[in-house]
Amino acid sequence: MGVRAPQEEWMVPRRWYNIVPDLPKPLPPYLKPNGEPVRPEEFEVLFARELVRQEFSQERWIPVPPPVRDVYLLWRPTPLLRARRLEELLKTPARIYYKFEGVSPPGSHKPNTAVAQLYYVSKEGAGRVTTETGAGQWGSSVAFAASLFGVKATVYMVRASYGQKPYRRVLMELWGAEVVPSPSDRTEAGRRFLAEDPNHPGSLGIAISEAVEDAVKTGAKYVLGSVLNHVLIHQTVIGLEAAEQIRYFGDYPDYVVGACGGGSSFSGLFWPFYHEKRVGKAERDVKFVAVEPVAVPTLTRGEYIYDLGDTAGLTPLIKMYSVGHGYKPPPIHAGGLRYHGCAPTLSLLVAEGEVSAVAYRQREVFEAARLFAQAEGVVPAPESAHAVKAAVELALQAKREGRPVTILFNMSGHGLLDLAAYDEYMRGVLQDVEPTAEEIMANIARAKALLRQ
Amino acid sequence: MGVRAPQEEWMVPRRWYNIVPDLPKPLPPYLKPNGEPVRPEEFEVLFARELVRQEFSQERWIPVPPPVRDVYLLWRPTPLLRARRLEELLKTPARIYYKFEGVSPPGSHKPNTAVAQLYYVSKEGAGRVTTETGAGQWGSSVAFAASLFGVKATVYMVRASYGQKPYRRVLMELWGAEVVPSPSDRTEAGRRFLAEDPNHPGSLGIAISEAVEDAVKTGAKYVLGSVLNHVLIHQTVIGLEAAEQIRYFGDYPDYVVGACGGGSSFSGLFWPFYHEKRVGKAERDVKFVAVEPVAVPTLTRGEYIYDLGDTAGLTPLIKMYSVGHGYKPPPIHAGGLRYHGCAPTLSLLVAEGEVSAVAYRQREVFEAARLFAQAEGVVPAPESAHAVKAAVELALQAKREGRPVTILFNMSGHGLLDLAAYDEYMRGVLQDVEPTAEEIMANIARAKALLRQ
């Protein structure tokens, strides 16, 4: 009875899976403010052509270019482990497995798509990309990928994080990226916010505006770390490997679980299992569980509507679960889950009942993460800790019901650069925050008014 | 032509290798201040009995207890990668491989022995261990291992690091250890230094004194992270795996390279290759290269003498290369290499010409580490960066000589908790420091006077 699945080069996929042709309904189109569908070529102002092609692709399988796969080999295949010590601690009959994406150089799943995007950008001749980052997980992945393909990267980093969380800034600089605290005087958007307040702490919404404005004005390409189809497609290397690896245990998941912000790490894990289910290859009636913070309850308390992808209104309208683009996520430590919306593919699957969603509070999430660290060693990223909490709850439910179910969850990153958050948790100063019903309803109403839904 | 060797459970060794019976000469005994050899039972006041047995063992192979191997499986076998991008960047005909120990939960090779030591401590019924730590690599590995075996751990952490480098302190606390800034008022030694200076910044020497005094007075066991035979024996899992893995490339090293402080990570990698060479299994005339900082030039400028293992004189006298126990290592960032001596086994092999040594300056070491991070992604720990620098130099020499040699080095840890050091390097404020000949000669003379050598 093993603990680790084998990791061998051939397991790293040569093609990505695209769920779009397998969805139970057609994916609603991206819309302009006037209600007309966005045409693919309109995306090409910002994104590399091949990425736009993938965004609108109806092909089920998309080849991984050999130079991208070569980079994946620097850390892939990632480990798939059975958390046997955790099972024993919980005295559960459940078998718990986790796919560990924290072994990548930036420490999370994000480079799975950053590497692909930077490859296409470089191949199409753009010499520079722009992007935004909060705490720095996405920005450091872009810096890493840009360094490998000889592309310059400018990362607009939320000023509060730039000052308070210098480690990921240093990591980006080490990989050669230019890191600009946002709001900055580089863009009109930035200057406008600086004029209001010279010490403006910034926000992800403002940083997006700066990165997009910079790209449009200079001919650089913009890269995005979640939500869009092409981003999620690249993440399917996670689930394709996991589906191979879990069979080494003679096992198959009853539950596939992942934390959900924009939805990319969870989709990367569960899409391939969804495909197996659809074509009759799944060995059990596998269920899919998305986990989100109570503080940003997109899937559990939001509505499935057309809403903006960003705060400032630069993106098209996207049909998705949303708590409204005007919602101000409380400052929880799981920065990657502070998003008002959710990937359109995942939203459709939740709306159709193919995926269920559950929400947890910050403190109970950190408690589960500490339990996991003490049992299995790995310190989960605050985002991934949400998946840990859900897996623990499912395992305890299995114990109550006496059912030896198999749970597979995504440990999307490690928490070694988030230890200050664990310190707050252990010192008892972490707060649980929950939006009021009025706050959510008002924000959703404002979003629905955009298209008079 | 692959990049990653396979990682499979069966590769994790079921026995450790002990070099002692294979040394070209008998290992000189540990001595008391009066010149008499220390008897094994005298070590048992501090260390677990089985560890003392291993310390004096003449057996070539020592079984890994199944519960220890079970814990190894949480992160082992570690990856062995070919650094093909680095080779291309250097335009060298050399093939460069590295064994990556940074995938362990604490991020370095240290848990290979911490887990073994804590297992024996727990098996022999001690409920608590004490140890010291500087920046926290060793302390966090002890905390991790103690958590897994249900043993309490008290870690005396140099006060300056406790204040300035809180991340590894939080990591230790997350794994359940008690972390005490040293000097503390818990011990006589600590109170003495606090009386001198209530804001005493502490030192590794003082922290050792506190940990040892605490153990002796309370009946706890003391655990040590390097230098001693039993510690190095546990680290051979690194080289045993590597010798298996490098053969998947149809290759074999001409050079095995590692950074050297106390000598445990380097010994862990090269011992098994040394054994293969001795029994005629080595496929080439493999050479062994230890790498140290110019600031603490134990092997390159020290002498092979009997000296104390610590600063305060609590340890026996050890025959080893030393720059003198009174030598004050400059505050370089590679904290793990700031040791005045070197493992007795490695010292004997250097004295016999079986291992060569080379020293580099801090800034050139960080420059090599940045090059590596940009080529291969992984951010090396400052200690491991010394091995990177030596591997790069050997690869450039191979280029000058047109020889396609194979270089294998130990990436003993990642640098994600050392990014402040990289920041200093990139801002150009890192200093190179080098002891004067007088300083070293005076310290060595003082050490030699201990036994009138």
Side-chain angles (χ1 to χ4, degrees), chain A residues 3-4 7-9 71 73 76 85 147 174-175 373-374 377, chain B residues 3-4 7-9 71 73 76 85 147 174-175 373-374 377:
Chain A
V3 167
R4 296 182 77 84
Q7 294 164 259
E8 301 186 37
E9 278 201 6
V71 174
L73 290 175
R76 306 205 72 87
R85 288 164 185 277
S147 149
L174 183 62
W175 280 319
Q374 294 195 351
Chain B
V3 168
R4 295 182 77 85
Q7 294 164 257
E8 301 186 37
E9 279 200 6
V71 174
L73 291 174
R76 307 204 70 86
R85 285 162 189 277
S147 149
L174 183 63
W175 280 320
Q374 294 195 350

PDB file of all heavy atoms in Angstrom, chain A residues 3-4 7-9 71 73 76 85 147 174-175 373-374 377, chain B residues 3-4 7-9 71 73 76 85 147 174-175 373-374 377:
ATOM      1  N   VAL A   3       2.248   5.272  -0.781  1.00  0.00           N
ATOM      2  CA  VAL A   3       1.933   6.625  -0.340  1.00  0.00           C
ATOM      3  C   VAL A   3       2.109   7.619  -1.491  1.00  0.00           C
ATOM      4  O   VAL A   3       1.375   8.580  -1.621  1.00  0.00           O
ATOM      5  CB  VAL A   3       2.838   7.012   0.848  1.00  0.00           C
ATOM      6  CG1 VAL A   3       2.751   8.496   1.123  1.00  0.00           C
ATOM      7  CG2 VAL A   3       2.451   6.233   2.093  1.00  0.00           C
ATOM      8  N   ARG A   4       3.105   7.370  -2.327  1.00  0.00           N
ATOM      9  CA  ARG A   4       3.397   8.275  -3.444  1.00  0.00           C
ATOM     10  C   ARG A   4       3.166   7.572  -4.767  1.00  0.00           C
ATOM     11  O   ARG A   4       3.682   6.470  -4.983  1.00  0.00           O
ATOM     12  CB  ARG A   4       4.882   8.643  -3.481  1.00  0.00           C
ATOM     13  CG  ARG A   4       5.413   9.409  -2.333  1.00  0.00           C
ATOM     14  CD  ARG A   4       6.882   9.708  -2.605  1.00  0.00           C
ATOM     15  NE  ARG A   4       7.002  10.782  -3.562  1.00  0.00           N
ATOM     16  CZ  ARG A   4       6.944  12.058  -3.221  1.00  0.00           C
ATOM     17  NH1 ARG A   4       6.790  12.407  -1.975  1.00  0.00           N
ATOM     18  NH2 ARG A   4       7.038  12.988  -4.128  1.00  0.00           N
ATOM     19  N   GLN A   7       6.452   9.288 -10.356  1.00  0.00           N
ATOM     20  CA  GLN A   7       6.573  10.504 -11.166  1.00  0.00           C
ATOM     21  C   GLN A   7       7.583  10.195 -12.263  1.00  0.00           C
ATOM     22  O   GLN A   7       8.756   9.985 -11.975  1.00  0.00           O
ATOM     23  CB  GLN A   7       7.085  11.659 -10.306  1.00  0.00           C
ATOM     24  CG  GLN A   7       6.116  12.097  -9.220  1.00  0.00           C
ATOM     25  CD  GLN A   7       6.800  12.949  -8.164  1.00  0.00           C
ATOM     26  OE1 GLN A   7       7.132  12.473  -7.086  1.00  0.00           O
ATOM     27  NE2 GLN A   7       7.024  14.214  -8.485  1.00  0.00           N
ATOM     28  N   GLU A   8       7.108  10.178 -13.500  1.00  0.00           N
ATOM     29  CA  GLU A   8       7.997   9.885 -14.620  1.00  0.00           C
ATOM     30  C   GLU A   8       7.706  10.839 -15.760  1.00  0.00           C
ATOM     31  O   GLU A   8       6.571  11.255 -15.958  1.00  0.00           O
ATOM     32  CB  GLU A   8       7.813   8.439 -15.067  1.00  0.00           C
ATOM     33  CG  GLU A   8       8.108   7.443 -13.949  1.00  0.00           C
ATOM     34  CD  GLU A   8       8.074   5.998 -14.439  1.00  0.00           C
ATOM     35  OE1 GLU A   8       8.507   5.735 -15.567  1.00  0.00           O
ATOM     36  OE2 GLU A   8       7.596   5.149 -13.669  1.00  0.00           O
ATOM     37  N   GLU A   9       8.741  11.131 -16.515  1.00  0.00           N
ATOM     38  CA  GLU A   9       8.626  12.129 -17.578  1.00  0.00           C
ATOM     39  C   GLU A   9       7.460  11.904 -18.532  1.00  0.00           C
ATOM     40  O   GLU A   9       6.775  12.846 -18.925  1.00  0.00           O
ATOM     41  CB  GLU A   9       9.930  12.162 -18.395  1.00  0.00           C
ATOM     42  CG  GLU A   9      11.007  12.976 -17.759  1.00  0.00           C
ATOM     43  CD  GLU A   9      12.073  13.414 -18.766  1.00  0.00           C
ATOM     44  OE1 GLU A   9      11.918  13.174 -19.977  1.00  0.00           O
ATOM     45  OE2 GLU A   9      13.046  14.011 -18.320  1.00  0.00           O
ATOM     46  N   VAL A  71       9.652  22.939 -20.520  1.00  0.00           N
ATOM     47  CA  VAL A  71       9.692  23.736 -19.283  1.00  0.00           C
ATOM     48  C   VAL A  71       8.905  23.034 -18.178  1.00  0.00           C
ATOM     49  O   VAL A  71       9.353  22.987 -17.030  1.00  0.00           O
ATOM     50  CB  VAL A  71       9.150  25.160 -19.520  1.00  0.00           C
ATOM     51  CG1 VAL A  71       9.051  25.921 -18.203  1.00  0.00           C
ATOM     52  CG2 VAL A  71      10.060  25.910 -20.491  1.00  0.00           C
ATOM     53  N   LEU A  73       8.813  20.098 -17.563  1.00  0.00           N
ATOM     54  CA  LEU A  73       9.652  19.041 -16.978  1.00  0.00           C
ATOM     55  C   LEU A  73      10.558  19.551 -15.864  1.00  0.00           C
ATOM     56  O   LEU A  73      11.105  18.754 -15.101  1.00  0.00           O
ATOM     57  CB  LEU A  73      10.495  18.375 -18.076  1.00  0.00           C
ATOM     58  CG  LEU A  73       9.705  17.521 -19.073  1.00  0.00           C
ATOM     59  CD1 LEU A  73      10.628  17.020 -20.185  1.00  0.00           C
ATOM     60  CD2 LEU A  73       9.040  16.339 -18.377  1.00  0.00           C
ATOM     61  N   ARG A  76       7.442  19.091 -13.348  1.00  0.00           N
ATOM     62  CA  ARG A  76       6.374  18.127 -13.567  1.00  0.00           C
ATOM     63  C   ARG A  76       6.938  16.767 -13.985  1.00  0.00           C
ATOM     64  O   ARG A  76       8.014  16.733 -14.555  1.00  0.00           O
ATOM     65  CB  ARG A  76       5.408  18.617 -14.675  1.00  0.00           C
ATOM     66  CG  ARG A  76       4.821  19.994 -14.464  1.00  0.00           C
ATOM     67  CD  ARG A  76       3.490  20.148 -15.189  1.00  0.00           C
ATOM     68  NE  ARG A  76       2.478  19.358 -14.498  1.00  0.00           N
ATOM     69  CZ  ARG A  76       1.754  19.820 -13.464  1.00  0.00           C
ATOM     70  NH1 ARG A  76       1.887  21.037 -13.054  1.00  0.00           N
ATOM     71  NH2 ARG A  76       0.902  19.028 -12.864  1.00  0.00           N
ATOM     72  N   ARG A  85      -1.277   9.641   6.978  1.00  0.00           N
ATOM     73  CA  ARG A  85      -1.193  10.118   8.365  1.00  0.00           C
ATOM     74  C   ARG A  85      -2.407  10.949   8.751  1.00  0.00           C
ATOM     75  O   ARG A  85      -2.893  10.883   9.871  1.00  0.00           O
ATOM     76  CB  ARG A  85       0.054  10.976   8.545  1.00  0.00           C
ATOM     77  CG  ARG A  85       1.280  10.180   8.518  1.00  0.00           C
ATOM     78  CD  ARG A  85       2.539  10.986   8.314  1.00  0.00           C
ATOM     79  NE  ARG A  85       3.592  10.004   8.205  1.00  0.00           N
ATOM     80  CZ  ARG A  85       4.188   9.458   9.254  1.00  0.00           C
ATOM     81  NH1 ARG A  85       3.903   9.854  10.471  1.00  0.00           N
ATOM     82  NH2 ARG A  85       5.077   8.520   9.089  1.00  0.00           N
ATOM     83  N   SER A 147      11.251  34.967 -17.997  1.00  0.00           N
ATOM     84  CA  SER A 147      12.697  34.769 -17.935  1.00  0.00           C
ATOM     85  C   SER A 147      13.118  33.602 -18.826  1.00  0.00           C
ATOM     86  O   SER A 147      14.120  33.671 -19.545  1.00  0.00           O
ATOM     87  CB  SER A 147      13.098  34.535 -16.478  1.00  0.00           C
ATOM     88  OG  SER A 147      14.218  33.702 -16.361  1.00  0.00           O
ATOM     89  N   LEU A 174      14.308  38.764  -9.081  1.00  0.00           N
ATOM     90  CA  LEU A 174      15.361  37.767  -9.285  1.00  0.00           C
ATOM     91  C   LEU A 174      15.198  37.102 -10.645  1.00  0.00           C
ATOM     92  O   LEU A 174      16.187  36.800 -11.325  1.00  0.00           O
ATOM     93  CB  LEU A 174      15.283  36.724  -8.170  1.00  0.00           C
ATOM     94  CG  LEU A 174      16.349  35.625  -8.163  1.00  0.00           C
ATOM     95  CD1 LEU A 174      17.743  36.223  -7.993  1.00  0.00           C
ATOM     96  CD2 LEU A 174      16.063  34.629  -7.056  1.00  0.00           C
ATOM     97  N   TRP A 175      13.946  36.902 -11.067  1.00  0.00           N
ATOM     98  CA  TRP A 175      13.699  36.304 -12.379  1.00  0.00           C
ATOM     99  C   TRP A 175      13.701  37.378 -13.484  1.00  0.00           C
ATOM    100  O   TRP A 175      13.326  37.082 -14.620  1.00  0.00           O
ATOM    101  CB  TRP A 175      12.383  35.520 -12.361  1.00  0.00           C
ATOM    102  CG  TRP A 175      12.537  34.158 -11.742  1.00  0.00           C
ATOM    103  CD1 TRP A 175      13.587  33.296 -11.919  1.00  0.00           C
ATOM    104  CD2 TRP A 175      11.629  33.481 -10.866  1.00  0.00           C
ATOM    105  NE1 TRP A 175      13.376  32.138 -11.209  1.00  0.00           N
ATOM    106  CE2 TRP A 175      12.193  32.218 -10.554  1.00  0.00           C
ATOM    107  CE3 TRP A 175      10.393  33.818 -10.311  1.00  0.00           C
ATOM    108  CZ2 TRP A 175      11.562  31.297  -9.717  1.00  0.00           C
ATOM    109  CZ3 TRP A 175       9.780  32.899  -9.479  1.00  0.00           C
ATOM    110  CH2 TRP A 175      10.356  31.656  -9.183  1.00  0.00           C
ATOM    111  N   ALA A 373      -0.467  20.284   8.182  1.00  0.00           N
ATOM    112  CA  ALA A 373       0.981  20.494   8.283  1.00  0.00           C
ATOM    113  C   ALA A 373       1.584  19.579   9.345  1.00  0.00           C
ATOM    114  O   ALA A 373       2.671  19.039   9.171  1.00  0.00           O
ATOM    115  CB  ALA A 373       1.285  21.957   8.607  1.00  0.00           C
ATOM    116  N   GLN A 374       0.865  19.395  10.445  1.00  0.00           N
ATOM    117  CA  GLN A 374       1.404  18.551  11.510  1.00  0.00           C
ATOM    118  C   GLN A 374       1.325  17.064  11.154  1.00  0.00           C
ATOM    119  O   GLN A 374       2.136  16.268  11.610  1.00  0.00           O
ATOM    120  CB  GLN A 374       0.696  18.850  12.834  1.00  0.00           C
ATOM    121  CG  GLN A 374       1.002  20.277  13.305  1.00  0.00           C
ATOM    122  CD  GLN A 374       0.634  20.535  14.760  1.00  0.00           C
ATOM    123  OE1 GLN A 374      -0.001  19.713  15.398  1.00  0.00           O
ATOM    124  NE2 GLN A 374       1.033  21.693  15.276  1.00  0.00           N
ATOM    125  N   GLY A 377       3.277  17.297   6.936  1.00  0.00           N
ATOM    126  CA  GLY A 377       4.463  18.095   6.701  1.00  0.00           C
ATOM    127  C   GLY A 377       4.215  19.328   5.855  1.00  0.00           C
ATOM    128  O   GLY A 377       4.574  20.426   6.254  1.00  0.00           O
TER     129      GLY A 377
ATOM    130  N   VAL B   3      15.222  14.844 -18.920  1.00  0.00           N
ATOM    131  CA  VAL B   3      15.595  15.939 -18.025  1.00  0.00           C
ATOM    132  C   VAL B   3      15.437  15.520 -16.562  1.00  0.00           C
ATOM    133  O   VAL B   3      16.214  15.912 -15.707  1.00  0.00           O
ATOM    134  CB  VAL B   3      14.728  17.184 -18.326  1.00  0.00           C
ATOM    135  CG1 VAL B   3      14.874  18.216 -17.240  1.00  0.00           C
ATOM    136  CG2 VAL B   3      15.114  17.775 -19.669  1.00  0.00           C
ATOM    137  N   ARG B   4      14.416  14.715 -16.301  1.00  0.00           N
ATOM    138  CA  ARG B   4      14.140  14.273 -14.929  1.00  0.00           C
ATOM    139  C   ARG B   4      14.314  12.770 -14.816  1.00  0.00           C
ATOM    140  O   ARG B   4      13.745  12.016 -15.611  1.00  0.00           O
ATOM    141  CB  ARG B   4      12.662  14.500 -14.572  1.00  0.00           C
ATOM    142  CG  ARG B   4      12.206  15.888 -14.509  1.00  0.00           C
ATOM    143  CD  ARG B   4      10.733  15.898 -14.096  1.00  0.00           C
ATOM    144  NE  ARG B   4      10.631  15.656 -12.675  1.00  0.00           N
ATOM    145  CZ  ARG B   4      10.733  16.615 -11.780  1.00  0.00           C
ATOM    146  NH1 ARG B   4      10.923  17.859 -12.156  1.00  0.00           N
ATOM    147  NH2 ARG B   4      10.652  16.343 -10.506  1.00  0.00           N
ATOM    148  N   GLN B   7      10.969   9.108 -10.270  1.00  0.00           N
ATOM    149  CA  GLN B   7      10.870   9.096  -8.807  1.00  0.00           C
ATOM    150  C   GLN B   7       9.839   8.044  -8.447  1.00  0.00           C
ATOM    151  O   GLN B   7       8.658   8.207  -8.769  1.00  0.00           O
ATOM    152  CB  GLN B   7      10.425  10.470  -8.298  1.00  0.00           C
ATOM    153  CG  GLN B   7      11.443  11.580  -8.541  1.00  0.00           C
ATOM    154  CD  GLN B   7      10.821  12.950  -8.379  1.00  0.00           C
ATOM    155  OE1 GLN B   7      10.520  13.622  -9.357  1.00  0.00           O
ATOM    156  NE2 GLN B   7      10.617  13.365  -7.141  1.00  0.00           N
ATOM    157  N   GLU B   8      10.279   6.984  -7.822  1.00  0.00           N
ATOM    158  CA  GLU B   8       9.363   5.918  -7.446  1.00  0.00           C
ATOM    159  C   GLU B   8       9.673   5.459  -6.029  1.00  0.00           C
ATOM    160  O   GLU B   8      10.829   5.485  -5.603  1.00  0.00           O
ATOM    161  CB  GLU B   8       9.485   4.745  -8.421  1.00  0.00           C
ATOM    162  CG  GLU B   8       9.179   5.154  -9.855  1.00  0.00           C
ATOM    163  CD  GLU B   8       9.157   3.980 -10.812  1.00  0.00           C
ATOM    164  OE1 GLU B   8       8.696   2.897 -10.406  1.00  0.00           O
ATOM    165  OE2 GLU B   8       9.608   4.146 -11.955  1.00  0.00           O
ATOM    166  N   GLU B   9       8.620   5.029  -5.341  1.00  0.00           N
ATOM    167  CA  GLU B   9       8.760   4.664  -3.928  1.00  0.00           C
ATOM    168  C   GLU B   9       9.894   3.695  -3.639  1.00  0.00           C
ATOM    169  O   GLU B   9      10.616   3.850  -2.657  1.00  0.00           O
ATOM    170  CB  GLU B   9       7.445   4.041  -3.426  1.00  0.00           C
ATOM    171  CG  GLU B   9       6.413   5.058  -3.055  1.00  0.00           C
ATOM    172  CD  GLU B   9       5.335   4.488  -2.127  1.00  0.00           C
ATOM    173  OE1 GLU B   9       5.439   3.327  -1.678  1.00  0.00           O
ATOM    174  OE2 GLU B   9       4.392   5.221  -1.846  1.00  0.00           O
ATOM    175  N   VAL B  71       8.086   8.059   6.753  1.00  0.00           N
ATOM    176  CA  VAL B  71       8.100   9.520   6.767  1.00  0.00           C
ATOM    177  C   VAL B  71       8.890  10.051   5.563  1.00  0.00           C
ATOM    178  O   VAL B  71       8.472  11.015   4.912  1.00  0.00           O
ATOM    179  CB  VAL B  71       8.684  10.067   8.084  1.00  0.00           C
ATOM    180  CG1 VAL B  71       8.832  11.582   8.010  1.00  0.00           C
ATOM    181  CG2 VAL B  71       7.797   9.688   9.264  1.00  0.00           C
ATOM    182  N   LEU B  73       8.878   8.982   2.762  1.00  0.00           N
ATOM    183  CA  LEU B  73       8.016   8.935   1.574  1.00  0.00           C
ATOM    184  C   LEU B  73       7.163  10.190   1.413  1.00  0.00           C
ATOM    185  O   LEU B  73       6.596  10.420   0.350  1.00  0.00           O
ATOM    186  CB  LEU B  73       7.123   7.694   1.620  1.00  0.00           C
ATOM    187  CG  LEU B  73       7.851   6.355   1.431  1.00  0.00           C
ATOM    188  CD1 LEU B  73       6.896   5.198   1.635  1.00  0.00           C
ATOM    189  CD2 LEU B  73       8.493   6.273   0.048  1.00  0.00           C
ATOM    190  N   ARG B  76      10.302  11.949  -0.375  1.00  0.00           N
ATOM    191  CA  ARG B  76      11.331  11.203  -1.095  1.00  0.00           C
ATOM    192  C   ARG B  76      10.690  10.147  -1.998  1.00  0.00           C
ATOM    193  O   ARG B  76       9.607   9.685  -1.666  1.00  0.00           O
ATOM    194  CB  ARG B  76      12.303  10.495  -0.123  1.00  0.00           C
ATOM    195  CG  ARG B  76      12.933  11.386   0.935  1.00  0.00           C
ATOM    196  CD  ARG B  76      14.244  10.818   1.436  1.00  0.00           C
ATOM    197  NE  ARG B  76      15.248  10.909   0.397  1.00  0.00           N
ATOM    198  CZ  ARG B  76      16.011  11.985   0.167  1.00  0.00           C
ATOM    199  NH1 ARG B  76      15.924  13.032   0.951  1.00  0.00           N
ATOM    200  NH2 ARG B  76      16.845  11.997  -0.835  1.00  0.00           N
ATOM    201  N   ARG B  85      19.092  23.600 -19.497  1.00  0.00           N
ATOM    202  CA  ARG B  85      19.050  25.019 -19.851  1.00  0.00           C
ATOM    203  C   ARG B  85      20.304  25.752 -19.389  1.00  0.00           C
ATOM    204  O   ARG B  85      20.797  26.648 -20.061  1.00  0.00           O
ATOM    205  CB  ARG B  85      17.842  25.689 -19.201  1.00  0.00           C
ATOM    206  CG  ARG B  85      16.593  25.342 -19.866  1.00  0.00           C
ATOM    207  CD  ARG B  85      15.359  25.613 -19.051  1.00  0.00           C
ATOM    208  NE  ARG B  85      14.288  25.006 -19.790  1.00  0.00           N
ATOM    209  CZ  ARG B  85      13.684  25.600 -20.812  1.00  0.00           C
ATOM    210  NH1 ARG B  85      13.985  26.832 -21.146  1.00  0.00           N
ATOM    211  NH2 ARG B  85      12.766  24.959 -21.493  1.00  0.00           N
ATOM    212  N   SER B 147       6.994  16.733  15.555  1.00  0.00           N
ATOM    213  CA  SER B 147       5.547  16.736  15.376  1.00  0.00           C
ATOM    214  C   SER B 147       5.063  15.370  14.883  1.00  0.00           C
ATOM    215  O   SER B 147       4.053  14.837  15.347  1.00  0.00           O
ATOM    216  CB  SER B 147       5.174  17.852  14.399  1.00  0.00           C
ATOM    217  OG  SER B 147       4.032  17.540  13.648  1.00  0.00           O
ATOM    218  N   LEU B 174       4.298  26.396  14.000  1.00  0.00           N
ATOM    219  CA  LEU B 174       3.204  25.727  13.289  1.00  0.00           C
ATOM    220  C   LEU B 174       3.314  24.226  13.469  1.00  0.00           C
ATOM    221  O   LEU B 174       2.303  23.525  13.595  1.00  0.00           O
ATOM    222  CB  LEU B 174       3.271  26.106  11.807  1.00  0.00           C
ATOM    223  CG  LEU B 174       2.166  25.556  10.899  1.00  0.00           C
ATOM    224  CD1 LEU B 174       0.813  26.095  11.322  1.00  0.00           C
ATOM    225  CD2 LEU B 174       2.446  25.915   9.443  1.00  0.00           C
ATOM    226  N   TRP B 175       4.540  23.711  13.482  1.00  0.00           N
ATOM    227  CA  TRP B 175       4.745  22.279  13.691  1.00  0.00           C
ATOM    228  C   TRP B 175       4.760  21.936  15.183  1.00  0.00           C
ATOM    229  O   TRP B 175       5.088  20.805  15.558  1.00  0.00           O
ATOM    230  CB  TRP B 175       6.030  21.818  12.992  1.00  0.00           C
ATOM    231  CG  TRP B 175       5.839  21.608  11.519  1.00  0.00           C
ATOM    232  CD1 TRP B 175       4.760  21.040  10.910  1.00  0.00           C
ATOM    233  CD2 TRP B 175       6.746  21.949  10.449  1.00  0.00           C
ATOM    234  NE1 TRP B 175       4.945  21.016   9.537  1.00  0.00           N
ATOM    235  CE2 TRP B 175       6.140  21.552   9.233  1.00  0.00           C
ATOM    236  CE3 TRP B 175       8.014  22.554  10.408  1.00  0.00           C
ATOM    237  CZ2 TRP B 175       6.766  21.737   7.990  1.00  0.00           C
ATOM    238  CZ3 TRP B 175       8.619  22.732   9.174  1.00  0.00           C
ATOM    239  CH2 TRP B 175       7.999  22.340   7.982  1.00  0.00           C
ATOM    240  N   ALA B 373      18.725  30.374 -11.197  1.00  0.00           N
ATOM    241  CA  ALA B 373      17.286  30.635 -11.043  1.00  0.00           C
ATOM    242  C   ALA B 373      16.673  31.056 -12.371  1.00  0.00           C
ATOM    243  O   ALA B 373      15.556  30.664 -12.707  1.00  0.00           O
ATOM    244  CB  ALA B 373      17.051  31.699  -9.977  1.00  0.00           C
ATOM    245  N   GLN B 374      17.398  31.859 -13.146  1.00  0.00           N
ATOM    246  CA  GLN B 374      16.842  32.318 -14.417  1.00  0.00           C
ATOM    247  C   GLN B 374      16.854  31.206 -15.463  1.00  0.00           C
ATOM    248  O   GLN B 374      16.036  31.200 -16.378  1.00  0.00           O
ATOM    249  CB  GLN B 374      17.597  33.559 -14.902  1.00  0.00           C
ATOM    250  CG  GLN B 374      17.368  34.742 -13.943  1.00  0.00           C
ATOM    251  CD  GLN B 374      17.771  36.085 -14.524  1.00  0.00           C
ATOM    252  OE1 GLN B 374      18.388  36.162 -15.576  1.00  0.00           O
ATOM    253  NE2 GLN B 374      17.425  37.161 -13.829  1.00  0.00           N
ATOM    254  N   GLY B 377      14.831  27.861 -12.947  1.00  0.00           N
ATOM    255  CA  GLY B 377      13.663  28.129 -12.116  1.00  0.00           C
ATOM    256  C   GLY B 377      13.953  28.082 -10.635  1.00  0.00           C
ATOM    257  O   GLY B 377      13.628  29.006  -9.908  1.00  0.00           O
TER     258      GLY B 377
END
